[in-house]
Amino acid sequence: MAAVVAVALVAAVVQWLLAHWWVLLLAAVVAAVVGGLWIQRARERAEWERVRARALRLRIAEIDALDHRAFEFAIRDLMRRDGCRAERLGGAGDNACDVRAVDPAGRVWAIQCKHRRDGDRGSAVGVGVLQQVNGTARQIHGADVAVVLTNGRFSSKAIPWGRDHRIHLVDRRLLGEWAAGSRPLWDLLDGIPPARRPTALS
């Protein structure tokens, strides 16, 4: 019985719409206008993001004031500023990669972020963090460049360990220089692998 009623209702609606075809036309026009406005707004937001990213400059004091999650998004935005495709992965199950990026030369970056609320007065980033990155950056994330980045400092053992295992360390000084917008990160680090593809500058 319910099915019969439903079919009859649908048939009545169809007949009404056929008799009042202008309603369908009006609905189509409204949908087109709304859709066009939505697409325009989306393009404007995307363009605003591109402009904002190109102009992004951060002082180290601003970075210190972030929480760990906002810090990860800030690093993502700095990579985007420099022309990368970047996404934040941070959180449970990120496999020691908070930000994954592909730079203009096609190199894949796996960046582990360690925010210290007290800056370089906070606890030093130790070898254990580097070991986690070493075990996942290339194997899981396909990274050409593995990075551990902090607004603090690294332990005395972490520095040679990173060098021996091709883990690039970005400390407070280097982070401040990069965030200020002087040069892209790959110009500030030694031993970056060669480009995977030609760039506009090559």
Side-chain angles (χ1 to χ4, degrees):
M1 189 65 180
V4 173
V5 172
V7 170
L9 182 60
V10 169
V13 170
V14 169
Q15 288 178 349
W16 188 88
L17 288 174
L18 289 175
H20 302 83
W21 56 269
W22 57 270
V23 174
L24 290 175
L25 180 61
L26 181 61
V29 170
V30 170
V33 170
V34 171
L37 289 174
W38 184 87
I39 292 172
Q40 181 180 356
R41 289 293 301 276
R43 287 175 177 169
E44 289 174 353
R45 285 194 299 270
E47 180 60 26
W48 184 87
E49 283 294 330
R50 284 192 291 270
V51 171
R52 187 189 67 83
R54 285 196 297 268
L56 181 62
R57 301 289 185 271
L58 293 173
R59 293 178 290 109
I60 198 67
E62 294 174 304
I63 293 174
D64 289 343
L66 301 174
D67 61 28
H68 74 278
R69 187 170 181 271
F71 180 58
E72 294 165 3
F73 279 113
I75 300 306
R76 180 204 65 181
D77 291 346
L78 287 169
M79 293 298 284
R80 289 181 176 179
R81 178 199 69 186
D82 294 338
C84 299
R85 290 183 287 111
E87 59 180 332
R88 174 188 175 268
L89 304 178
D94 63 12
N95 290 306
C97 177
D98 293 313
V99 176
R100 186 179 186 274
V102 180
D103 69 23
R107 293 170 296 220
V108 177
W109 293 63
I111 304 175
Q112 177 73 339
C113 303
K114 291 297 177 183
H115 186 266
R116 296 292 185 258
R117 185 167 51 185
D118 296 326
D120 55 5
R121 295 188 305 277
S123 60
V125 178
V127 171
V129 173
L130 277 62
Q131 290 173 334
Q132 293 175 358
V133 171
N134 191 50
T136 61
R138 300 175 185 92
Q139 297 87 332
I140 294 178
H141 301 290
D144 301 298
V145 187
V147 177
V148 178
L149 182 151
T150 183
N151 65 321
R153 58 193 173 88
F154 291 94
S155 71
S156 58
K157 292 182 179 180
I159 295 171
W161 200 96
R163 183 172 55 247
D164 293 344
H165 293 83
R166 296 185 299 124
I167 307 292
H168 295 274
L169 306 185
V170 177
D171 62 8
R172 182 179 184 82
R173 180 197 61 78
L174 193 57
L175 173 60
E177 184 178 354
W178 175 45
S182 61
R183 290 181 290 167
L185 190 54
W186 45 89
D187 283 354
L188 299 173
L189 297 173
D190 296 325
I192 297 297
R196 284 194 175 200
R197 60 171 178 253
T199 68
L201 298 178
S202 61

